[in-house]
Amino acid sequence: MAAFPFRVAATDGAARTGVLATPRGEIRTPAFMPVGTAGTVKALSVDQVAAAGADILLGNTYHLMLRPTAERVARLGGLHRFMRWEKPILTDSGGFQVMSLAKISEVTDDGVTFQSHLDGSRHALSPERSIEIQADLLGADLVMQLDELVGLPAPAERVAEAMRRSAQWAARCKAVFGARERQALFGIQQGGISEALRRESAERLLEIGFDGYAIGGLAVGEGHAAMVDVLDFAPAMLPPDRPRYLMGVGKPVDIIEAVARGVDMFDCVLPTRSGRHGQAWTASGPINLKNARFAEDESPLDESIPVPASRDYSKAYLHHLVRSDEILGQVLLSWHNLAFFEALMVDLRAAIAEARLSAFRQAFARRAAAASDSEA
C-alpha cells in the first residue's frame, strides 16, 4: 500500500494524466516541479511560484545540508515553514550534486565522502544520512533514495556497478525510511542506456517496493535521441499504478516526448536559468530578449498565460531591462518561463484527457521547426 494515492484519470497511448494526492495538496500529473535548490526558486518568491501554477517544488539535500545545514532548518520548523511554501516539496537525495560539484574523496558501498564546494569541509553522505536529512530534518513530502550517478558515455561495467550499488542503497533507504503516512519514498532506476541494466534495476526496486519510481541517469551526456530511445522501454518497466519521475529533464520537447512514453513528473533548472540570461520560452521555442529586434516590440510574451510577467509587459521593456542588466528583467523572465512550463503541463493534461496528444505533439514540433527556419 503506497503512502499517497495515485489516480490515473485518463490515458492516451502510453501517456496518462492523473493526480497524486498528498496531505499538503494534490499534484496534477503530468507535473513540472520548479527547482528550489537552496530553499528558493531563484529570483522568485513562493507567491510567484504558486501563481505560475506549480503544485510542488524541489529542494536539494546537498546544498541545504551544507548551508544553512539541515539541522538548522529543522530547528526553524522544517523546509516548508523556513521558505514559506505550504504545498508539497520533493527533495533530491544529494547524489547528483555530490558527483558533479564536490571534490569526491571516496565512493564505497557505505556511501560517499566528499569535500564541500563552498569551503572544503569534509562530509559523508550515506543512504541513512540522506533519508535523515530529507525526511526527518527538512521534512520533505516526497523523498528520494540516494543513488550513484554516472555521466555518459561510460564503460558498461561502470554503469552496471553504479546501478547495483544504487539498488543496494535503495534497500537501505527503504529500511531506515520504514512506513510513513505523511511522506513517500521514491526508488530510482539506473542503468544508463542499456535495456538489460534498466530491467535489472527495475526488478530490484520492485522487490524492495516504493511509493513512486524515478528514471535517473539521463540528460547526463547521452543526447536527446539516446534518451528518447531509453524512454521507449524504461517507463514500462515501472509499476503502472505509481507515479514515474524523469529526473533533471526539462526542455519542452523532452518533456512532451517523455509524457508520450508514460512519464508523470519532471524537474529542471531551465526556466529560471534561461530567465537569468535573457531568454524567454515561447510556444515556438526560446527567444533572446537581448536581440535588437525586440527594442520597439510592444507585444507581450504571451497574453494567454495568466501572470503579469507574460501578459502585461512588452518585449521592448523586457529588452530594455535585460540590456540594462536590471534585476527586474531576470525576475520577470524567470517568472514568465516558469509560467510557460506550467501552462505546457496544463495543455498536456488536457490533450491526454481529450485523446489528442499525437496532434498536440505534431503541432508543437511544426511550430518549433518553423521558428528554427525563420532564425536561420
Side-chain angles (χ1 to χ4, degrees), residues 48-266:
Q48 289 170 313
V49 173
D55 292 337
I56 177 175
L57 58 76
L58 182 146
N60 180 260
T61 294
Y62 171 83
H63 287 281
L64 291 168
M65 73 181 279
L66 296 180
R67 185 172 57 191
T69 75
E71 283 74 14
R72 176 168 291 168
V73 173
R75 290 195 297 272
L76 294 169
L79 187 55
H80 294 83
R81 181 177 176 185
F82 187 53
M83 65 183 296
R84 207 176 64 81
W85 174 264
E86 293 306 319
K87 294 183 178 185
I89 293 176
L90 179 146
T91 45
D92 62 14
S93 69
F96 175 80
Q97 286 74 23
V98 166
M99 303 301 170
S100 62
L101 293 179
K103 181 179 179 182
I104 297 175
S105 299
E106 189 176 22
V107 181
T108 69
D109 288 344
D110 290 332
V112 185
T113 56
F114 62 93
Q115 286 183 283
S116 164
H117 73 289
L118 296 175
D119 59 11
S121 57
R122 292 181 59 81
H123 300 267
L125 190 63
S126 66
E128 292 77 12
R129 175 61 173 160
S130 179
I131 296 300
E132 178 190 25
I133 292 171
Q134 295 180 76
D136 301 328
L137 299 176
L138 300 179
D141 304 281
L142 277 59
V143 174
M144 304 303 298
Q145 72 149 104
L146 181 65
D147 61 333
E148 184 181 8
L149 183 70
V150 176
L152 299 175
E157 315 82 64
R158 179 70 188 92
V159 175
E161 176 190 43
M163 180 274 289
R164 289 170 185 139
R165 178 173 286 140
S166 295
Q168 293 168 5
W169 288 357
R172 288 166 57 187
C173 286
K174 177 64 180 291
V176 70
F177 184 84
R180 306 186 187 213
E181 293 184 358
R182 298 186 63 83
Q183 294 173 300
L185 179 64
F186 278 48
I188 303 176
Q189 181 200 56
Q190 289 289 353
I193 61 173
S194 165
E195 184 170 1
L197 291 179
R198 288 274 169 186
R199 185 170 303 282
E200 180 183 341
S201 177
E203 290 171 352
R204 287 170 177 256
L205 295 176
L206 291 173
E207 186 175 346
I208 299 165
F210 290 92
D211 300 307
Y213 295 85
I215 300 167
L218 293 176
V220 290
E222 76 282 359
H224 173 79
M227 182 190 74
V228 171
D229 287 344
V230 173
L231 294 176
D232 282 335
F233 56 76
M237 296 174 177
L238 303 172
D241 62 340
R242 303 309 309 142
R244 302 166 180 153
Y245 162 31
L246 179 57
M247 303 181 73
V249 172
K251 286 185 178 179
V253 65
D254 294 337
I255 290 175
I256 293 168
E257 293 306 308
V259 165
R261 290 161 172 80
V263 176
D264 308 299
M265 300 170 64
F266 303 86

Side-chain angles (χ1 to χ4, degrees), residues 227-306:
M227 182 190 74
V228 171
D229 287 344
V230 173
L231 294 176
D232 282 335
F233 56 76
M237 296 174 177
L238 303 172
D241 62 340
R242 303 309 309 142
R244 302 166 180 153
Y245 162 31
L246 179 57
M247 303 181 73
V249 172
K251 286 185 178 179
V253 65
D254 294 337
I255 290 175
I256 293 168
E257 293 306 308
V259 165
R261 290 161 172 80
V263 176
D264 308 299
M265 300 170 64
F266 303 86
D267 79 279
C268 191
V269 299
L270 187 61
T272 50
R273 178 173 288 171
S274 294
R276 296 196 307 277
H277 291 88
Q279 189 178 68
W281 282 87
T282 75
S284 301
I287 59 173
N288 187 346
L289 270 299
K290 295 178 183 177
N291 289 346
R293 67 188 177 96
F294 297 114
E296 297 188 13
D297 187 337
E298 295 186 88
S299 66
L301 289 169
D302 192 331
E303 288 181 309
S304 71
I305 297 178

Side-chain angles (χ1 to χ4, degrees), residues 48 300-302 305-314 318 331-337 339:
Q48 289 170 313
L301 289 169
D302 192 331
I305 297 178
V307 300
S310 307
R311 183 190 60 209
D312 299 341
Y313 295 89
S314 70
L318 296 168
V331 172
L332 291 176
L333 289 179
S334 296
W335 194 8
H336 160 74
N337 285 342

